[in-house]
Amino acid sequence: MPTVTVSPGGTATTTLTVRNGGDIVEAYTLEVVGDCAAWSTVEPARVSLYPGTSETVTLTFAPPRSHEVRAGETPLAVRVLPAEHPESVVVPEGTVTVEPFHELRTELEPRRRRGWLGARFRTAVQNKGNTPVDVAFTGRQAGEELRLGFTPGQKRLEPGESAEIRLKVRAAKLIWFGEPVTWPFEVEAAEAVAAAGTASESAVGAPAGATAGTAAGTAAGTAGAEAGGTKPVRPEPAPSDLLRPEPVPGEFLQLPVLPKWLLIVLAALLALLLAWFALVRPAVKSTAKQAATEAAQEETARGGQQQGSPTPGGPDSPGGNQGQGTGPDAPGTPGGNGGSGTGPGAGTGPGGTGAGGTEQSSATIDVETNAGIEGVGTYKVPAGKVFGITDIVVANFQGDEGVLTISFGERKITTIALETFRNQDYHWVTPIQVPENATVTAAVTCAKPGTPATGTQASGCHQVINVSGVLSDLAR
């Protein structure tokens, strides 16, 4: 059979003559076999012939416009099966040439994005044609405000293959103030090489026949097949064959770096500053100056009255036997020294020392030990003194794990797990009395050193215990 050329989406025909060369009436069934059978038909598909007669059938080829039908030559075979003598089947062969067509489908995801200076998009392209193509990607924008870059810039696609290309859109400059600006652009995926031209038509008149003989000694005849010329019917060229693919539109919404509401806030703050320096600050300074003048006048008047009155604590005063604190270390000032008097009592202040042998005191116990070892730190109460403990502060600044036990003399005060705290404090309204020569003991059993603020795990456990209270003379 002659070669038949057909365009995808169109039709082409050729003829085949079936001849009964036998001596009996025979019915023949015709069927197209091979890769082109799915889109080929025979009309009529069954013929009955008297001996010595023939009939022409028409073969029609209508390949779909799909990437599944590859361009190029496809083998063609028609099976002619006699009903009376099936063993005499003949299969004339030929070739169908499918012309190439080119079609690209392009999508942009998302179609619109926003940003200060740039944004990223995805360009999806699929080769819907029936031949491999090299696809080149280009972008256009009316102006020079945007730069468009594709990665990769070119891609080879087989029929039916899809690819996703990254697109980076970048503005030429920032927008510092004002309204957002929309920049439209277009993306186009086109073939790097122009589509091939259509194949030339051909008509072959040479017959190709097949003869099927019967078995020896039978009365069967022969069947012959002759192919006639092709008559291709071409479809109208698709837009993708004649024109470049339609560009895909996209938008980049460029946002200002400083939004509009920020300008309003800055203007309001500036107005408040101007109002402060122009109106409020002078009024405040005037009021403060007036208050200071009045306070100075009252102090001066009070000083004149005190010069003519007896001094508190003197022999003529009812409180002459009471101590009176003076100066910056007066009673009630933390860390000061209480003043001494001439009577049997002694005036004391927090952290002060009175004539009665009483002082606010504190001691620090520093305990360092390695993992798996118990470390002990002590503070011994001086001879002739009694330590009334009111406060304990424990610092586990490394975050160590283990057990801490605090004892006053023979009395165990508390046992706590180190991993439950970083800083812990205890306070007593009634001081706990520790006698002379007795010890305040802090015993640390280190299970696992912690990690301090430096970020490097410590080599051992380290706890600091501060004990404070009142250190008094022992009554003799």
Side-chain angles (χ1 to χ4, degrees), residues 67 104 125-129 155-163:
H67 61 83
L104 292 175
V125 60
Q126 182 182 12
N127 181 10
K128 304 289 287 184
K155 181 76 173 178
R156 183 172 180 82
L157 298 178
E158 295 296 325
E161 184 181 1
S162 299

Side-chain angles (χ1 to χ4, degrees), residues 70-407:
R70 300 291 293 263
E73 294 184 351
T74 302
L76 166 65
V78 180
R79 181 169 55 197
V80 182
L81 180 63
E84 297 297 330
H85 300 282
E87 70 279 1
S88 301
V89 61
V90 293
V91 182
E93 297 181 353
T95 302
V96 176
T97 300
V98 179
E99 293 183 337
F101 77 95
H102 303 267
E103 181 179 345
L104 292 175
R105 177 174 296 176
T106 308
E107 294 182 358
L108 184 64
E109 290 292 338
R111 289 293 184 95
R112 188 173 192 263
R113 273 200 166 172
R114 61 178 62 190
W116 287 334
L117 190 59
R120 296 181 183 272
F121 297 80
R122 298 186 307 275
T123 304
V125 60
Q126 182 182 12
N127 181 10
K128 304 289 287 184
N130 64 350
T131 184
V133 293
D134 291 319
V135 184
F137 301 91
T138 57
R140 298 194 302 269
Q141 189 253 338
E144 299 181 355
E145 293 83 6
L146 297 181
R147 293 193 296 270
L148 290 85
F150 296 88
T151 306
Q154 186 168 327
K155 181 76 173 178
R156 183 172 180 82
L157 298 178
E158 295 296 325
E161 184 181 1
S162 299
E164 189 172 276
I165 308 300
R166 296 186 298 274
L167 168 61
K168 184 177 181 181
V169 177
R170 187 176 179 87
K173 60 182 180 179
L174 287 170
I175 299 177
W176 291 100
F177 302 98
E179 298 291 336
V181 179
T182 300
W183 303 112
F185 61 91
E186 292 181 343
V187 173
E188 183 178 356
E191 299 174 25
V193 180
T198 59
S200 60
E201 300 181 6
S202 62
V204 181
T211 303
T214 59
T218 63
T222 59
E226 295 180 355
T230 61
K231 297 179 181 179
V233 180
R234 302 183 184 276
E236 290 297 327
S240 59
D241 290 335
L242 301 179
L243 304 175
R244 298 175 64 87
E246 286 293 330
V248 180
E251 287 184 349
F252 170 58
L253 178 63
Q254 187 175 9
L255 303 175
V257 177
L258 301 177
K260 187 176 181 179
W261 61 264
L262 182 59
L263 298 178
I264 298 175
V265 172
L266 292 176
L269 290 176
L270 181 61
L272 290 176
L273 288 176
L274 293 176
W276 166 262
F277 284 104
L279 301 175
V280 180
R281 187 181 180 188
V284 172
K285 291 178 65 176
S286 177
T287 303
K289 185 176 181 180
Q290 181 180 357
T293 302
E294 293 176 355
Q297 293 175 354
E298 292 178 0
E299 187 66 21
T300 301
R302 189 182 301 110
Q305 293 176 359
Q306 290 178 352
Q307 289 180 359
S309 60
T311 301
D316 297 332
S317 175
N321 292 331
Q322 301 293 329
Q324 176 67 35
T326 62
D329 296 333
T333 303
N337 295 323
S340 61
T342 58
T348 62
T353 302
T358 301
E359 63 179 351
Q360 190 77 17
S361 178
S362 65
T364 300
I365 302 174
D366 197 309
V367 183
E368 295 187 46
T369 181
N370 295 326
I373 302 175
E374 182 183 72
V376 179
T378 60
Y379 165 73
K380 185 176 181 180
V381 179
K385 297 289 186 177
V386 176
F387 195 11
I389 298 177
T390 58
D391 304 279
I392 296 178
V393 178
V394 183
N396 178 21
F397 57 91
Q398 295 185 160
D400 301 327
E401 298 180 9
V403 178
L404 169 65
T405 302
I406 301 176
S407 304

Side-chain angles (χ1 to χ4, degrees), residues 22-113:
D23 53 3
I24 63 172
V25 176
E26 186 68 87
Y28 299 93
T29 301
L30 293 93
E31 179 184 8
V32 179
V33 294
D35 295 339
C36 58
W39 36 269
S40 302
T41 59
V42 181
E43 290 292 338
R46 183 180 176 87
V47 295
S48 295
L49 298 176
Y50 289 101
T53 61
S54 63
E55 184 172 345
T56 299
V57 298
T58 301
L59 300 178
T60 302
F61 307 100
R65 189 179 177 84
S66 170
H67 61 83
E68 296 179 354
V69 180
R70 300 291 293 263
E73 294 184 351
T74 302
L76 166 65
V78 180
R79 181 169 55 197
V80 182
L81 180 63
E84 297 297 330
H85 300 282
E87 70 279 1
S88 301
V89 61
V90 293
V91 182
E93 297 181 353
T95 302
V96 176
T97 300
V98 179
E99 293 183 337
F101 77 95
H102 303 267
E103 181 179 345
L104 292 175
R105 177 174 296 176
T106 308
E107 294 182 358
L108 184 64
E109 290 292 338
R111 289 293 184 95
R112 188 173 192 263
R113 273 200 166 172

